[in-house]
Amino acid sequence: MYGTCDVSLLDVKNLWVKFPSRHGVFDAVRGVSFTLGRERLGIVGESGSGKSMTGRAILRLIRPPGIVEADHINLEGVDLLQKSEKDMRAVRGERISMVMQDPKFSLNPVMTIGDQIIEAYRLHSSASKAEAYTKSLEMLEAVSIRDPERVMRAYPHEMSGGMGQRIMIAMMLIPNPEILIADEPTSALDVSVQRQVLDIMDRLVKERGMGLIFISHDLNLVADFCDRVLIMYAGRIVEVCDADKLHDAQHPYTRGLLNSLPRLDAPRDRLEVLKRDPAWSDAESVSGRI
Amino acid sequence: MTMLDVNGLNVWFGKNRDRVDAVKGASFQVGTGESFGLVGESGSGKSTILRAITGLAPDWSGIITVDGTPITGKKRPRGFFKTVQMVFQDPYASLHPRHSVDQVLGETLHLHGFDDIDGRVAKLLDDVGLGQKFRFRYPHQLSGGQRQRVAIARALAPEPTLLLLDEPTSALDVSVQAEILNLLADLRADRGLTYLMVSHDLSVIGHMCDRLAVMRNGEIVEILDVDALRASNAAHPYSQQLLEASL
């Protein structure tokens, strides 16, 4: 654990994300509260549990007709919900950065990778093109891409999913943000590369005192990598625990998820299938505030 | 009996300074009724092997024999797809967004010259555990797991004997992954299918397969039994490294 208690970087209280639809209002996130210190906070859950929506709501990336409501979303004491759209633009990228789920949709398909990284870098600093090029090569190497010169010349469709995601991470880290929201950053990567990418993020948390929100569906990874974990189901936090105690989790949903994983050391003929209880989604959200 | 024999397979993309050798001299055999896994990191060429077999990667050399028949060049004869079918990684991308489940399955059956299409579509849906109420839905009305079931039903439609599975569960939640893996195991037992399965997840391969090949930079570094894998008896340092990372 790092110094989690001294200052909380981010304080979210009673966050709701609503989407009006023909069948009434759909609540994607329902009354979620948590704080983030200079730590690695994991959010786990299945698709549709509202974990990505939570990340997007913090950056105010949810477009109308979607509605975001909260008592407050404080970034070092300043409420992000009160900021104008212009002020928000200074927050996004510079202070809070986000790595999205799918590199296929977050990279520009008609620009070379090199041009995109250089553009992102020069937007946040006054470096010359040559400096930006060298820095971009450095960042690509830092996320362990072989042959970075060829990658700089290539277009996104020539990259595999794993390489695309590493390029995204390289781009997001260049402006040196205080908080990084990583939405399934390593789901497209293999175990060996995953480790390297996690090490890079780990180093940033340690050395620069960055706060990390790590959104993932991979329980083992989160248990391994994060300090604290929020488990979400149907828009609510059903359980909050220390990551190293995740395997002793009490909630039946968390237990069900853990049991449905195939394991090398414990072979079984059939995998356990999760049986859902409607009561899980009705229960009040657990607070993740310290 | 050997269902699939791959000998000295090379696959490459592009030319001159942008040429990438995706697969270099890969050789392995898959017996009839066996389930064989390919593991490795992204870009190691595991999916490319599947694409070369089905004719989706045009530049390749080497010998590929499917059920005793050697295959050549880019084009595959029509009968080939009655033997070999593929399930793709991403069920969000592999189904036509404006075709209903009924059209997807019906078209496949029609192309393969089956009669009683109506009855067969109904049976296929039952086989993959979806049931009739899904028959006239469109892909956007289905969840990821249901879409992957439709993709599996489509692959099963021509009654193939060899199924190529390209990361069939990596886009799905763990709880849904468990359902799909159970379904695939049941189908193999019922129909005596042969699987060639690609995954980056060693525990999924360990659960589904009898033998596996570990790939790195386009080369097969080691072929081993799952029992040896479980006992951590991998010989090559790279396989040991993978094994450590997934325990």
Side-chain angles (χ1 to χ4, degrees):
Chain A
M1 290 279 276
Y2 307 115
T4 49
C5 306
D6 47 348
V7 200
S8 75
L9 278 173
L10 190 73
D11 183 356
V12 177
K13 195 175 173 202
N14 195 22
L15 173 71
W16 288 72
V17 178
K18 300 175 178 179
F19 290 94
S21 75
R22 263 179 296 180
H23 313 290
V25 178
F26 175 74
D27 300 319
V29 178
R30 304 184 296 162
V32 163
S33 305
F34 63 90
T35 52
L36 173 77
R38 301 183 188 282
E39 59 174 334
R40 299 166 298 186
L41 177 72
I43 304 183
V44 279
E46 295 172 284
S47 44
S49 62
K51 53 193 195 313
S52 297
M53 280 300 158
T54 307
R56 285 167 167 268
I58 292 168
L59 274 176
R60 296 218 344 235
L61 286 173
I62 291 166
R63 299 271 168 247
I67 302 159
V68 179
E69 283 169 8
D71 292 357
H72 59 76
I73 302 177
N74 284 356
L75 174 67
E76 289 179 324
V78 183
D79 194 351
L80 292 180
L81 288 174
Q82 307 303 327
K83 283 190 186 269
S84 68
E85 190 54 31
K86 186 164 164 273
D87 291 339
M88 265 320 280
R89 239 175 282 148
V91 172
R92 296 185 192 122
E94 292 269 347
R95 304 189 61 196
I96 308 181
S97 209
M98 187 165 185
V99 179
M100 302 272 186
Q101 214 156 355
D102 195 337
K104 266 183 232 143
F105 299 118
S106 31
L107 288 169
N108 185 343
V110 294
M111 249 172 114
T112 62
I113 307 255
D115 287 347
Q116 291 185 56
I117 302 182
I118 289 169
E119 185 189 49
Y121 182 47
R122 295 188 72 204
L123 204 64
H124 294 287
S125 71
S126 53
S128 73
K129 266 191 180 158
E131 273 174 287
Y133 184 84
T134 340
K135 180 83 182 164
S136 306
L137 276 185
E138 238 171 67
M139 284 318 284
L140 285 178
E141 267 164 20
V143 292
S144 12
I145 280 178
R146 289 188 294 265
D147 201 359
E149 271 106 2
R150 185 177 69 81
V151 171
M152 292 285 279
R153 279 200 308 275
Y155 285 92
H157 74 270
E158 299 172 75
M159 298 291 109
S160 66
M163 285 175 82
Q165 198 58 297
R166 277 183 274 168
I167 290 160
M168 282 309 295
I169 291 170
M171 275 169 85
M172 291 306 126
L173 294 181
I174 285 178
N176 204 357
E178 291 158 63
I179 297 177
L180 181 67
I181 302 174
D183 189 354
E184 306 262 5
T186 59
S187 349
L189 310 185
D190 349 272
V191 276
S192 49
V193 186
Q194 208 168 60
R195 197 73 256 173
Q196 294 166 351
V197 172
L198 294 179
D199 286 343
I200 294 166
M201 292 204 270
D202 192 32
R203 215 170 51 224
L204 290 161
V205 177
K206 266 189 201 143
E207 288 173 5
R208 307 183 192 178
M210 200 174 79
L212 175 69
I213 298 180
F214 190 85
I215 300 169
S216 176
H217 66 272
D218 189 333
L219 287 136
N220 285 330
L221 184 71
V222 169
D224 213 31
F225 178 67
C226 293
D227 300 314
R228 230 155 36 102
V229 186
L230 314 175
I231 295 124
M232 286 189 73
Y233 180 78
R236 294 209 155 127
I237 301 176
V238 295
E239 194 165 9
V240 179
C241 59
D242 286 339
D244 46 359
K245 298 193 182 73
L246 183 64
H247 287 274
D248 308 322
Q250 294 305 313
H251 197 278
Y253 174 65
T254 321
R255 296 244 44 98
L257 281 186
L258 286 167
N259 286 336
S260 62
L261 289 167
R263 288 175 56 172
L264 269 182
D265 48 344
R268 277 173 294 179
D269 281 348
R270 293 186 69 80
L271 295 167
E272 224 168 278
V273 174
L274 185 69
K275 287 184 196 67
R276 287 156 210 279
D277 186 342
W280 298 346
S281 51
D282 295 338
E284 274 291 301
S285 189
V286 180
S287 171
R289 288 156 66 94
I290 297 181
Chain B
M1 273 288 281
T2 309
M3 186 70 215
L4 174 71
D5 188 344
V6 175
N7 208 334
L9 177 70
N10 299 299
V11 188
W12 62 93
F13 298 105
K15 51 189 170 186
N16 302 332
R17 75 170 185 177
D18 286 327
R19 173 169 161 148
V20 179
D21 288 287
V23 180
K24 292 172 266 186
S27 301
F28 59 91
Q29 281 86 38
V30 184
T32 306
E34 194 187 8
S35 175
F36 190 88
L38 289 171
V39 279
E41 56 186 272
S42 53
S44 66
K46 50 195 196 311
S47 297
T48 308
I49 291 185
L50 301 195
R51 302 182 84 86
I53 296 170
T54 46
L56 292 168
D59 296 323
W60 62 277
S61 67
I63 303 164
I64 303 176
T65 314
V66 175
D67 207 7
T69 321
I71 56 178
T72 48
K74 289 184 207 176
K75 202 112 171 87
R76 300 282 174 274
R78 185 167 271 229
F80 175 81
F81 297 106
K82 278 197 184 299
T83 319
V84 184
Q85 280 289 321
M86 185 153 165
V87 176
F88 294 90
Q89 177 171 9
D90 187 357
Y92 297 86
S94 67
L95 293 175
H96 196 302
R98 300 186 65 166
H99 281 183
S100 66
V101 174
D102 181 68
Q103 281 171 293
V104 167
L105 299 178
E107 186 182 30
T108 313
L109 289 163
H110 175 71
L111 285 173
H112 284 275
F114 285 102
D115 45 15
D116 186 25
I117 287 174
D118 191 52
R120 280 178 186 270
V121 169
K123 174 144 192 332
L124 280 170
L125 284 175
D126 285 337
D127 286 353
V128 294
L130 276 179
Q132 302 312 309
K133 63 177 184 222
F134 290 96
R135 184 159 177 176
F136 295 101
R137 295 225 191 152
Y138 287 89
H140 72 267
Q141 297 169 309
L142 304 173
S143 69
Q146 288 163 348
R147 275 183 236 198
Q148 198 59 298
R149 282 174 195 266
V150 174
I152 292 170
R154 177 177 60 185
L156 290 174
E159 301 182 343
T161 44
L162 173 62
L163 216 52
L164 308 177
L165 304 163
D166 186 3
E167 308 248 18
T169 59
S170 61
L172 307 175
D173 284 319
V174 285
S175 51
V176 182
Q177 165 173 289
E179 292 172 20
I180 297 291
L181 292 181
N182 283 343
L183 170 70
L184 286 170
D186 292 344
L187 288 169
R188 185 161 83 98
D190 291 348
R191 299 173 176 233
L193 296 170
T194 308
Y195 284 171
L196 177 57
M197 183 167 176
V198 163
S199 179
H200 64 270
D201 189 337
L202 213 52
S203 47
V204 167
I205 292 287
H207 177 71
M208 291 294 291
C209 300
D210 312 317
R211 287 192 306 139
L212 67 145
V214 180
M215 291 195 68
R216 186 192 198 182
N217 295 346
E219 285 166 14
I220 292 182
V221 297
E222 188 174 5
I223 295 180
L224 72 169
D225 286 342
V226 163
D227 295 334
L229 183 77
R230 290 225 175 87
S232 301
N233 274 341
H236 195 278
Y238 180 67
S239 330
Q240 287 165 354
Q241 195 188 321
L242 271 186
L243 195 56
E244 261 168 44
S246 52
L247 273 179

